Amino acid sequence: MTHPAATTPSAPPPPEAVGPLMRSLSVLRELASGGGRRSVGDLVRDTGLARSTVDRVLSTLTRLGYVRTEGRDAVLAPRLLELGNAYLAACELPDRLGPLADRLADELDESVSLAVPDGDGVRFVHQATRRRAMSLAFRIGDLLPAERGAPGALFADGWDEADWQRWRARRAADPSDAGFPAVPPRHSADGAAAGDDFVARVAAARTAGWSLDDQLIEPGLVAVAAPVRDADGRPVCALSVVSHTSRLSADALPGAVLPRLRETVSAMEAALRAPRKGPAADAASGTAAGPSHATWMRASKQELGPEFVESMARGLITLTAFGTGRAALPLTAVAEATGLARATARRALLTLEHLGYLATDGKLFRPTPKVLELGFAPLSGLTLPDIALPHLVSLVERVHDSASMAVLAGDDIQYVARVPTVRIMSVNITLGTRFPAYPTSMGRVLLAGLPPAERSERLARLRPEPLTRHTVTAPERLGALLEETRSAGYALVHEELEEGLRSLAVPVHDRTGRVVAAVNVSTHAARRSPDEAREALLPALRTAAAGIEADLWVAGRYARIPVQ
């Protein structure tokens, strides 16, 4: 259950507050705090909402593509990331500073992160991690208590007395950090020691210009952080280098990394002084044109009736008005971007401001880091198979044949996701299974998606063997088939891997247009002719691939999506 101190504003909601929007956000918070999956019964209990209300909230969130249901569970869906993407694009920190953080991580061979202040906590907005047995496990969107990490001491230097009072009240109410699920819980005595030491660490960071984390989060984890300031000298984020005591002790870490850390901070501050992009449509954040929102919501209401709560959907869509070049917007611009009436947009903005997801100076509204609490952390940990699986399930339900996803592994394909169908005769393939790429439909799609020079080089070194009497082994013929596959956008392979097996595959592209995986449907050759298989299966396959690509487009904007 989400800790109240971490999410609930102390002031009563304004008269204009949109109740359904507040209720939907409470459901999303509970889903996020549960790792992205909760039973409907648990949501009813932990939100305090009526079962009928939770059902309507979930129905609307499902229609928006933010949630899906699996049996009795509600599960966060990748498209929800468009809300966090809107904040990240608006603040521009990952876009402007992320490449510099990545370069520093490569040079030091240590994990590097960017964090921003969020109340009396610290929230990550970019991660460049090293893959080791003992390494940084935090995700974009994770929230840490300010006192349990290097960045917090840098941000707390700017707190006023009211900020310190809120910090003390939070620590008294939550001594074990239950409201911060990203960090290991601590004992009360440990918490008291960390809190007593925090004021001193803030003062030390002020003097030194950098902050040290000596295993404040968990044993073995050490970090050094420095502030990155804007043109006015205000710290907008902190750059941290994180290591493990098995590599560098807390005493040795500053000397090893501070010179390059400071150089990178200087480069980042120069990047922040560069001209910002002007207001523009931001496809990366998932924002759609305003009129299409209004049309879509009318159609949704007509189809779902009372199970679609328009005021909830309008309020959530309001967040997608922000993005690159649109860090702060007036009411009129938000209404235009979303296609909402000014009065409707105003109520949504005031509600989101009350809940802490927007800040305003009275004229302009801007998203805050708190938007990332709406499921960004658990969803940023998705892999490509995680994203693909629901679409493969829908594909199998539609065509009644087994469906799979594979990636290229050397000259082989490797299965990373699979949904079998129940038949007397079926293909027994488990995850991790590898086959030669050349005689398989997914292999041909993946090989066809390679740059021409790499494709030619692979064909030149191949030594194809006839696995069946139908297997194509001539290099010239294989090259022609790959070119046909690239041009047609699919591959149909008949009994080349195994007698009686026919499969049809299409590519899956990432945000850059690169083919990163293939999806196929396999069937027994006796069930359909090749033309019948193409006619019956190809449209459904392309629909599934398009769904995977749409989710990958949103999920891969700021998070790295592993292919397996």
Side-chain angles (χ1 to χ4, degrees):
M1 181 175 177
T2 306
H3 195 279
T7 60
T8 305
S10 56
E16 303 94 333
V18 183
L21 174 57
M22 297 178 70
R23 291 188 282 274
S24 71
L25 290 166
S26 71
V27 170
L28 286 174
R29 286 194 299 268
E30 290 298 338
L31 275 170
S33 69
R37 176 186 292 266
R38 298 292 295 276
S39 71
V40 177
D42 285 345
L43 292 174
V44 170
R45 183 193 65 228
D46 292 339
T47 61
L49 300 174
R51 174 60 186 256
S52 59
T53 300
V54 171
D55 286 341
R56 286 195 296 273
V57 167
L58 293 177
S59 176
T60 304
L61 292 174
T62 299
R63 182 68 171 188
L64 286 165
Y66 294 165
V67 167
R68 66 178 186 270
T69 56
E70 295 181 359
R72 297 181 179 180
D73 290 346
V75 183
L76 294 180
R79 188 173 175 182
L80 179 64
L81 287 166
E82 72 178 8
L83 302 184
N85 285 351
Y87 159 72
L88 293 171
C91 77
E92 298 188 12
L93 295 176
D95 291 321
R96 287 174 174 256
L97 310 186
L100 294 169
D102 295 344
R103 187 176 71 186
L104 180 62
D106 290 339
E107 291 174 351
L108 298 176
D109 193 25
E110 299 286 4
S111 294
V112 172
S113 63
L114 290 171
V116 297
D118 186 1
D120 64 350
V122 171
R123 202 176 290 274
F124 293 106
V125 296
H126 183 80
Q127 293 281 16
T129 57
R130 304 293 93 179
R131 303 189 72 175
R132 297 194 180 101
M134 295 181 293
S135 62
L136 186 67
F138 300 122
R139 305 159 297 185
I140 298 173
D142 273 334
L143 181 69
L144 274 63
E147 68 274 16
R148 290 187 69 179
L154 302 172
F155 299 137
D157 187 40
W159 287 0
D160 58 22
E161 184 53 34
D163 294 324
W164 282 104
Q165 288 179 359
R166 281 190 290 272
W167 173 75
R168 294 186 186 99
R170 186 264 297 164
R171 290 189 58 251
D174 184 15
S176 64
D177 290 337
F180 299 88
V183 298
R186 61 185 177 189
H187 299 297
S188 298
D190 297 335
D196 294 341
D197 183 53
F198 188 48
V199 175
R201 288 194 288 112
V202 172
R206 182 188 310 121
T207 301
W210 52 272
S211 177
L212 177 66
D213 170 358
D214 184 1
Q215 307 179 76
L216 295 168
I217 296 173
E218 63 179 36
L221 199 64
V222 291
V224 170
V228 179
R229 303 180 185 275
D230 63 14
D232 297 322
R234 294 171 299 195
V236 294
C237 65
L239 175 66
S240 299
V241 176
V242 184
S243 189
H244 195 273
T245 52
S246 60
R247 290 172 56 83
L248 289 167
S249 69
D251 291 335
L253 182 62
V257 306
L258 269 176
R260 283 296 299 120
L261 179 65
R262 286 172 168 150
E263 290 176 9
T264 304
V265 166
S266 295
M268 288 182 170
E269 291 176 344
L272 290 177
R273 290 192 294 271
R276 289 181 175 269
K277 297 180 181 179
D282 183 17
S285 68
T287 303
S292 67
H293 280 321
T295 302
W296 176 84
M297 279 190 282
R298 283 196 298 270
S300 297
K301 186 64 176 178
Q302 290 174 357
E303 180 179 339
L304 299 179
E307 295 304 306
F308 182 78
V309 186
E310 285 184 272
S311 58
M312 178 197 310
R314 289 168 177 161
L316 291 171
I317 286 172
T318 299
L319 285 170
T320 67
F322 301 90
T324 304
R326 301 194 309 279
L329 297 174
L331 168 61
T332 300
V334 173
E336 289 176 353
T338 57
L340 301 178
R342 280 176 55 91
T344 301
R346 179 176 178 273
R347 292 186 64 202
L349 291 170
L350 291 175
T351 304
L352 292 166
E353 180 201 0
H354 166 69
L355 295 173
Y357 298 110
L358 295 177
T360 182
D361 60 5
K363 294 182 180 179
L364 299 177
F365 293 86
R366 65 176 63 243
T368 70
K370 189 177 181 181
V371 174
L372 296 175
E373 82 171 3
L374 300 176
F376 203 96
L379 288 172
S380 68
L382 291 175
T383 64
L384 181 55
D386 294 331
I387 292 172
L389 195 59
H391 299 282
L392 296 182
V393 170
S394 297
L395 175 60
V396 170
E397 290 174 349
R398 181 174 173 182
V399 302
H400 308 292
D401 277 307
S402 298
S404 305
M405 170 181 276
V407 297
L408 206 55
D411 293 328
D412 296 338
I413 61 167
Q414 183 172 1
Y415 282 73
V416 296
R418 180 166 171 79
V419 178
T421 189
V422 178
R423 291 191 181 279
I424 295 175
M425 297 180 63
S426 61
V427 181
N428 184 21
I429 297 173
T430 58
L431 297 186
T433 296
R434 294 171 67 137
F435 290 124
Y438 67 89
T440 66
S441 63
M442 290 192 287
R444 287 187 184 164
V445 163
L446 291 164
L447 291 172
L450 294 173
E454 183 178 354
R455 189 196 320 160
S456 297
E457 188 274 331
R458 283 176 180 260
L459 283 175
R461 71 166 186 257
L462 273 181
R463 298 294 181 265
E465 296 181 2
L467 304 180
T468 74
R469 57 195 173 94
H470 301 283
T471 306
V472 175
T473 58
E476 298 81 4
R477 178 57 181 153
L478 279 173
L481 286 172
L482 293 182
E483 186 56 35
E484 290 175 14
T485 297
R486 186 201 63 79
S487 178
Y490 71 90
L492 178 64
V493 172
H494 176 71
E495 297 187 288
E496 294 191 45
L497 178 68
E498 183 178 322
E499 295 282 353
L501 180 65
R502 178 181 294 123
S503 65
L504 183 68
V506 297
V508 174
H509 303 82
D510 66 8
R511 292 180 56 84
T512 68
R514 183 171 61 98
V515 175
V516 292
V519 174
N520 88 335
V521 170
S522 56
T523 184
H524 196 276
R527 293 190 61 219
R528 300 183 181 96
S529 69
D531 287 341
E532 289 171 340
R534 188 182 295 107
E535 182 178 350
L537 302 177
L538 189 56
L541 258 174
R542 284 179 164 157
T543 296
I548 296 169
E549 289 175 347
D551 284 349
L552 189 57
W553 175 270
V554 177
R557 175 66 179 95
Y558 291 107
R560 292 178 173 87
I561 309 298
V563 298
Q564 55 182 307

CSV table of all heavy atoms in Angstrom, one decimal, residues 339-384:
chain,number,residue,atom,x,y,z
A,339,GLY,N,-7.6,19.5,-27.1
A,339,GLY,CA,-8.9,19.6,-27.7
A,339,GLY,C,-10.0,19.8,-26.7
A,339,GLY,O,-11.2,19.5,-27.0
A,340,LEU,N,-9.6,20.1,-25.4
A,340,LEU,CA,-10.6,20.2,-24.4
A,340,LEU,C,-11.1,21.7,-24.3
A,340,LEU,O,-10.4,22.6,-24.6
A,340,LEU,CB,-10.0,19.8,-23.0
A,340,LEU,CG,-9.4,18.4,-22.9
A,340,LEU,CD1,-8.8,18.2,-21.5
A,340,LEU,CD2,-10.5,17.4,-23.2
A,341,ALA,N,-12.3,21.8,-23.8
A,341,ALA,CA,-12.8,23.2,-23.5
A,341,ALA,C,-12.0,23.8,-22.4
A,341,ALA,O,-11.4,23.1,-21.5
A,341,ALA,CB,-14.3,23.1,-23.0
A,342,ARG,N,-11.9,25.1,-22.4
A,342,ARG,CA,-11.0,25.8,-21.4
A,342,ARG,C,-11.5,25.5,-20.0
A,342,ARG,O,-10.6,25.2,-19.1
A,342,ARG,CB,-11.1,27.3,-21.6
A,342,ARG,CG,-10.2,27.9,-22.7
A,342,ARG,CD,-10.4,29.4,-22.9
A,342,ARG,NE,-10.2,30.1,-21.7
A,342,ARG,CZ,-9.1,30.6,-21.3
A,342,ARG,NH1,-8.0,30.5,-22.0
A,342,ARG,NH2,-9.0,31.3,-20.1
A,343,ALA,N,-12.7,25.4,-19.8
A,343,ALA,CA,-13.2,25.2,-18.4
A,343,ALA,C,-12.8,23.7,-18.0
A,343,ALA,O,-12.4,23.5,-16.8
A,343,ALA,CB,-14.7,25.3,-18.3
A,344,THR,N,-12.9,22.8,-18.9
A,344,THR,CA,-12.6,21.4,-18.6
A,344,THR,C,-11.1,21.3,-18.3
A,344,THR,O,-10.6,20.6,-17.4
A,344,THR,CB,-13.0,20.5,-19.7
A,344,THR,OG1,-14.4,20.6,-20.0
A,344,THR,CG2,-12.6,19.0,-19.5
A,345,ALA,N,-10.3,21.9,-19.2
A,345,ALA,CA,-8.8,21.9,-19.0
A,345,ALA,C,-8.4,22.5,-17.7
A,345,ALA,O,-7.5,22.1,-17.0
A,345,ALA,CB,-8.1,22.5,-20.2
A,346,ARG,N,-9.1,23.6,-17.3
A,346,ARG,CA,-8.8,24.4,-16.1
A,346,ARG,C,-9.0,23.5,-14.9
A,346,ARG,O,-8.2,23.4,-14.0
A,346,ARG,CB,-9.6,25.6,-16.0
A,346,ARG,CG,-9.3,26.5,-14.7
A,346,ARG,CD,-10.1,27.8,-14.8
A,346,ARG,NE,-9.9,28.5,-13.5
A,346,ARG,CZ,-10.6,28.3,-12.4
A,346,ARG,NH1,-11.6,27.4,-12.4
A,346,ARG,NH2,-10.3,29.0,-11.3
A,347,ARG,N,-10.1,22.8,-14.9
A,347,ARG,CA,-10.4,21.9,-13.7
A,347,ARG,C,-9.4,20.8,-13.6
A,347,ARG,O,-9.0,20.5,-12.5
A,347,ARG,CB,-11.9,21.4,-13.8
A,347,ARG,CG,-13.0,22.4,-13.7
A,347,ARG,CD,-14.3,21.6,-13.7
A,347,ARG,NE,-14.5,20.8,-12.6
A,347,ARG,CZ,-15.3,19.8,-12.5
A,347,ARG,NH1,-16.0,19.4,-13.6
A,347,ARG,NH2,-15.4,19.0,-11.4
A,348,ALA,N,-9.0,20.3,-14.7
A,348,ALA,CA,-8.0,19.2,-14.7
A,348,ALA,C,-6.7,19.7,-14.2
A,348,ALA,O,-6.0,19.1,-13.4
A,348,ALA,CB,-7.9,18.6,-16.1
A,349,LEU,N,-6.3,20.9,-14.7
A,349,LEU,CA,-5.0,21.4,-14.3
A,349,LEU,C,-5.0,21.7,-12.8
A,349,LEU,O,-4.0,21.5,-12.1
A,349,LEU,CB,-4.7,22.7,-15.1
A,349,LEU,CG,-4.4,22.5,-16.6
A,349,LEU,CD1,-4.4,23.8,-17.3
A,349,LEU,CD2,-3.1,21.8,-16.7
A,350,LEU,N,-6.1,22.3,-12.3
A,350,LEU,CA,-6.1,22.6,-10.8
A,350,LEU,C,-6.1,21.4,-10.0
A,350,LEU,O,-5.5,21.3,-8.9
A,350,LEU,CB,-7.4,23.5,-10.5
A,350,LEU,CG,-7.4,24.9,-11.1
A,350,LEU,CD1,-8.7,25.6,-10.9
A,350,LEU,CD2,-6.3,25.7,-10.5
A,351,THR,N,-6.8,20.3,-10.5
A,351,THR,CA,-6.7,19.0,-9.7
A,351,THR,C,-5.3,18.5,-9.7
A,351,THR,O,-4.8,18.0,-8.7
A,351,THR,CB,-7.7,18.0,-10.4
A,351,THR,OG1,-9.0,18.6,-10.5
A,351,THR,CG2,-7.7,16.7,-9.6
A,352,LEU,N,-4.7,18.5,-10.9
A,352,LEU,CA,-3.3,17.9,-10.9
A,352,LEU,C,-2.3,18.8,-10.1
A,352,LEU,O,-1.4,18.3,-9.5
A,352,LEU,CB,-2.9,17.9,-12.4
A,352,LEU,CG,-3.6,16.8,-13.2
A,352,LEU,CD1,-3.4,17.0,-14.7
A,352,LEU,CD2,-3.2,15.4,-12.8
A,353,GLU,N,-2.6,20.1,-10.1
A,353,GLU,CA,-1.7,20.9,-9.2
A,353,GLU,C,-1.9,20.6,-7.8
A,353,GLU,O,-1.0,20.5,-7.0
A,353,GLU,CB,-2.0,22.4,-9.5
A,353,GLU,CG,-1.2,23.4,-8.6
A,353,GLU,CD,-1.8,24.7,-8.5
A,353,GLU,OE1,-2.9,25.0,-9.0
A,353,GLU,OE2,-1.2,25.6,-7.8
A,354,HIS,N,-3.2,20.4,-7.4
A,354,HIS,CA,-3.5,20.1,-6.0
A,354,HIS,C,-2.8,18.8,-5.5
A,354,HIS,O,-2.3,18.7,-4.4
A,354,HIS,CB,-5.0,20.0,-5.8
A,354,HIS,CG,-5.4,19.3,-4.5
A,354,HIS,ND1,-5.2,19.9,-3.3
A,354,HIS,CD2,-5.9,18.1,-4.2
A,354,HIS,CE1,-5.6,19.1,-2.3
A,354,HIS,NE2,-6.1,18.0,-2.9
A,355,LEU,N,-2.7,17.8,-6.4
A,355,LEU,CA,-2.1,16.5,-6.1
A,355,LEU,C,-0.6,16.5,-6.3
A,355,LEU,O,0.0,15.5,-6.0
A,355,LEU,CB,-2.7,15.5,-7.0
A,355,LEU,CG,-4.2,15.2,-6.8
A,355,LEU,CD1,-4.7,14.2,-7.9
A,355,LEU,CD2,-4.5,14.6,-5.4
A,356,GLY,N,0.0,17.6,-6.8
A,356,GLY,CA,1.4,17.8,-6.9
A,356,GLY,C,2.0,17.3,-8.2
A,356,GLY,O,3.2,17.3,-8.3
A,357,TYR,N,1.2,17.0,-9.2
A,357,TYR,CA,1.7,16.6,-10.4
A,357,TYR,C,2.0,17.7,-11.4
A,357,TYR,O,2.7,17.6,-12.4
A,357,TYR,CB,0.7,15.6,-11.1
A,357,TYR,CG,0.5,14.4,-10.3
A,357,TYR,CD1,-0.7,14.1,-9.7
A,357,TYR,CD2,1.5,13.4,-10.2
A,357,TYR,CE1,-0.9,13.0,-8.9
A,357,TYR,CE2,1.3,12.3,-9.4
A,357,TYR,CZ,0.1,12.1,-8.8
A,357,TYR,OH,-0.1,10.9,-8.1
A,358,LEU,N,1.5,18.9,-11.1
A,358,LEU,CA,1.8,20.1,-11.8
A,358,LEU,C,2.2,21.2,-10.8
A,358,LEU,O,1.7,21.2,-9.6
A,358,LEU,CB,0.6,20.6,-12.6
A,358,LEU,CG,0.1,19.8,-13.8
A,358,LEU,CD1,-1.1,20.4,-14.4
A,358,LEU,CD2,1.2,19.6,-14.8
A,359,ALA,N,3.0,22.2,-11.2
A,359,ALA,CA,3.3,23.4,-10.4
A,359,ALA,C,2.9,24.5,-11.3
A,359,ALA,O,2.9,24.5,-12.5
A,359,ALA,CB,4.8,23.4,-10.1
A,360,THR,N,2.6,25.7,-10.7
A,360,THR,CA,2.1,26.8,-11.4
A,360,THR,C,2.6,28.1,-10.7
A,360,THR,O,2.7,28.1,-9.5
A,360,THR,CB,0.6,26.9,-11.6
A,360,THR,OG1,0.3,28.0,-12.4
A,360,THR,CG2,-0.1,27.0,-10.3
A,361,ASP,N,2.9,29.1,-11.5
A,361,ASP,CA,3.2,30.5,-11.0
A,361,ASP,C,1.9,31.4,-11.1
A,361,ASP,O,2.0,32.6,-10.9
A,361,ASP,CB,4.3,31.1,-11.7
A,361,ASP,CG,4.1,31.2,-13.2
A,361,ASP,OD1,2.9,30.9,-13.7
A,361,ASP,OD2,5.0,31.7,-14.0
A,362,GLY,N,0.8,30.8,-11.4
A,362,GLY,CA,-0.4,31.5,-11.6
A,362,GLY,C,-0.8,31.7,-13.0
A,362,GLY,O,-2.0,32.0,-13.3
A,363,LYS,N,0.2,31.6,-13.9
A,363,LYS,CA,-0.1,31.8,-15.3
A,363,LYS,C,0.3,30.5,-16.1
A,363,LYS,O,-0.4,30.1,-17.0
A,363,LYS,CB,0.7,33.0,-15.9
A,363,LYS,CG,0.2,34.3,-15.3
A,363,LYS,CD,1.0,35.5,-15.9
A,363,LYS,CE,0.5,36.8,-15.3
A,363,LYS,NZ,1.3,37.9,-15.9
A,364,LEU,N,1.5,30.0,-15.8
A,364,LEU,CA,2.0,28.8,-16.5
A,364,LEU,C,2.0,27.6,-15.6
A,364,LEU,O,2.2,27.7,-14.4
A,364,LEU,CB,3.4,29.1,-17.0
A,364,LEU,CG,3.6,30.3,-18.0
A,364,LEU,CD1,5.1,30.4,-18.3
A,364,LEU,CD2,2.8,30.1,-19.3
A,365,PHE,N,1.7,26.5,-16.2
A,365,PHE,CA,1.7,25.2,-15.5
A,365,PHE,C,2.9,24.4,-16.1
A,365,PHE,O,3.2,24.4,-17.3
A,365,PHE,CB,0.4,24.4,-15.8
A,365,PHE,CG,-0.8,25.0,-15.1
A,365,PHE,CD1,-1.5,26.0,-15.8
A,365,PHE,CD2,-1.2,24.7,-13.9
A,365,PHE,CE1,-2.6,26.6,-15.2
A,365,PHE,CE2,-2.3,25.3,-13.3
A,365,PHE,CZ,-3.1,26.2,-14.0
A,366,ARG,N,3.5,23.6,-15.2
A,366,ARG,CA,4.6,22.7,-15.6
A,366,ARG,C,4.5,21.4,-14.9
A,366,ARG,O,4.1,21.4,-13.7
A,366,ARG,CB,6.0,23.4,-15.4
A,366,ARG,CG,6.3,23.7,-14.0
A,366,ARG,CD,7.8,24.2,-13.9
A,366,ARG,NE,7.9,25.5,-14.6
A,366,ARG,CZ,8.7,25.7,-15.6
A,366,ARG,NH1,9.4,24.7,-16.1
A,366,ARG,NH2,8.8,26.9,-16.2
A,367,PRO,N,4.8,20.3,-15.5
A,367,PRO,CA,4.8,19.0,-14.8
A,367,PRO,C,5.9,18.9,-13.8
A,367,PRO,O,7.0,19.5,-14.0
A,367,PRO,CB,4.9,18.0,-15.9
A,367,PRO,CG,5.6,18.7,-17.0
A,367,PRO,CD,5.2,20.2,-16.9
A,368,THR,N,5.7,18.2,-12.7
A,368,THR,CA,6.7,18.0,-11.7
A,368,THR,C,7.2,16.5,-11.8
A,368,THR,O,6.6,15.6,-12.4
A,368,THR,CB,6.1,18.2,-10.3
A,368,THR,OG1,5.2,17.1,-10.0
A,368,THR,CG2,5.4,19.6,-10.3
A,369,PRO,N,8.4,16.2,-11.1
A,369,PRO,CA,8.9,14.9,-11.1
A,369,PRO,C,7.9,13.9,-10.5
A,369,PRO,O,8.0,12.7,-10.8
A,369,PRO,CB,10.1,15.0,-10.2
A,369,PRO,CG,10.5,16.4,-10.3
A,369,PRO,CD,9.3,17.2,-10.4
A,370,LYS,N,6.9,14.3,-9.7
A,370,LYS,CA,6.0,13.4,-9.1
A,370,LYS,C,5.2,12.6,-10.2
A,370,LYS,O,4.7,11.5,-9.9
A,370,LYS,CB,5.0,14.1,-8.2
A,370,LYS,CG,4.2,13.2,-7.3
A,370,LYS,CD,3.3,14.0,-6.4
A,370,LYS,CE,2.5,13.1,-5.5
A,370,LYS,NZ,1.6,13.8,-4.6
A,371,VAL,N,5.1,13.1,-11.4
A,371,VAL,CA,4.4,12.4,-12.4
A,371,VAL,C,5.0,11.0,-12.6
A,371,VAL,O,4.3,10.0,-13.0
A,371,VAL,CB,4.4,13.2,-13.8
A,371,VAL,CG1,3.9,12.4,-14.9
A,371,VAL,CG2,3.7,14.5,-13.6
A,372,LEU,N,6.3,10.9,-12.3
A,372,LEU,CA,7.0,9.6,-12.5
A,372,LEU,C,6.5,8.5,-11.5
A,372,LEU,O,6.7,7.3,-11.8
A,372,LEU,CB,8.5,9.8,-12.4
A,372,LEU,CG,9.1,10.6,-13.5
A,372,LEU,CD1,10.6,10.8,-13.1
A,372,LEU,CD2,9.0,10.1,-14.8
A,373,GLU,N,5.8,8.9,-10.5
A,373,GLU,CA,5.3,7.9,-9.5
A,373,GLU,C,4.1,7.1,-10.1
A,373,GLU,O,3.7,6.1,-9.6
A,373,GLU,CB,4.8,8.6,-8.2
A,373,GLU,CG,3.5,9.2,-8.2
A,373,GLU,CD,3.0,9.6,-6.8
A,373,GLU,OE1,3.8,9.5,-5.9
A,373,GLU,OE2,1.9,10.1,-6.7
A,374,LEU,N,3.6,7.6,-11.3
A,374,LEU,CA,2.5,6.9,-11.9
A,374,LEU,C,2.9,5.7,-12.7
A,374,LEU,O,2.7,5.7,-13.9
A,374,LEU,CB,1.6,7.9,-12.7
A,374,LEU,CG,1.1,9.1,-11.9
A,374,LEU,CD1,0.3,10.0,-12.8
A,374,LEU,CD2,0.1,8.6,-10.8
A,375,GLY,N,3.7,4.8,-12.1
A,375,GLY,CA,4.0,3.6,-12.8
A,375,GLY,C,5.3,3.6,-13.6
A,375,GLY,O,5.6,2.6,-14.2
A,376,PHE,N,6.0,4.7,-13.6
A,376,PHE,CA,7.2,4.8,-14.5
A,376,PHE,C,8.2,3.8,-14.1
A,376,PHE,O,8.8,3.1,-15.0
A,376,PHE,CB,7.8,6.2,-14.6
A,376,PHE,CG,8.6,6.4,-15.9
A,376,PHE,CD1,8.0,7.0,-16.9
A,376,PHE,CD2,9.9,6.0,-16.0
A,376,PHE,CE1,8.7,7.2,-18.1
A,376,PHE,CE2,10.6,6.2,-17.1
A,376,PHE,CZ,10.0,6.8,-18.2
A,377,ALA,N,8.5,3.7,-12.8
A,377,ALA,CA,9.6,2.8,-12.4
A,377,ALA,C,9.4,1.3,-12.7
A,377,ALA,O,10.2,0.7,-13.4
A,377,ALA,CB,9.9,3.0,-10.9
A,378,PRO,N,8.2,0.7,-12.3
A,378,PRO,CA,8.0,-0.7,-12.7
A,378,PRO,C,7.9,-0.9,-14.2
A,378,PRO,O,8.4,-1.9,-14.7
A,378,PRO,CB,6.7,-1.0,-12.0
A,378,PRO,CG,6.0,0.2,-11.7
A,378,PRO,CD,7.1,1.2,-11.5
A,379,LEU,N,7.3,0.0,-14.9
A,379,LEU,CA,7.2,-0.2,-16.4
A,379,LEU,C,8.6,0.0,-17.1
A,379,LEU,O,8.8,-0.5,-18.2
A,379,LEU,CB,6.2,0.8,-17.0
A,379,LEU,CG,4.7,0.5,-16.6
A,379,LEU,CD1,3.8,1.6,-17.1
A,379,LEU,CD2,4.3,-0.9,-17.3
A,380,SER,N,9.5,0.9,-16.5
A,380,SER,CA,10.8,1.1,-17.2
A,380,SER,C,11.6,-0.2,-17.1
A,380,SER,O,12.7,-0.2,-17.7
A,380,SER,CB,11.5,2.3,-16.5
A,380,SER,OG,11.9,2.0,-15.2
A,381,GLY,N,11.2,-1.1,-16.3
A,381,GLY,CA,12.0,-2.4,-16.2
A,381,GLY,C,11.5,-3.5,-17.1
A,381,GLY,O,12.0,-4.6,-17.1
A,382,LEU,N,10.5,-3.1,-18.0
A,382,LEU,CA,10.0,-4.1,-18.9
A,382,LEU,C,11.1,-4.5,-20.0
A,382,LEU,O,11.9,-3.7,-20.4
A,382,LEU,CB,8.8,-3.5,-19.7
A,382,LEU,CG,7.5,-3.3,-18.9
A,382,LEU,CD1,6.5,-2.6,-19.8
A,382,LEU,CD2,7.0,-4.6,-18.4
A,383,THR,N,11.0,-5.8,-20.4
A,383,THR,CA,11.8,-6.3,-21.5
A,383,THR,C,10.9,-6.3,-22.7
A,383,THR,O,9.7,-6.2,-22.7
A,383,THR,CB,12.4,-7.7,-21.2
A,383,THR,OG1,11.3,-8.6,-21.1
A,383,THR,CG2,13.2,-7.7,-19.9
A,384,LEU,N,11.6,-6.5,-23.9
A,384,LEU,CA,10.8,-6.7,-25.1
A,384,LEU,C,9.8,-7.8,-25.1
A,384,LEU,O,8.7,-7.7,-25.5
A,384,LEU,CB,11.7,-6.8,-26.3
A,384,LEU,CG,11.1,-6.9,-27.7
A,384,LEU,CD1,10.1,-5.8,-28.0
A,384,LEU,CD2,12.2,-7.0,-28.8
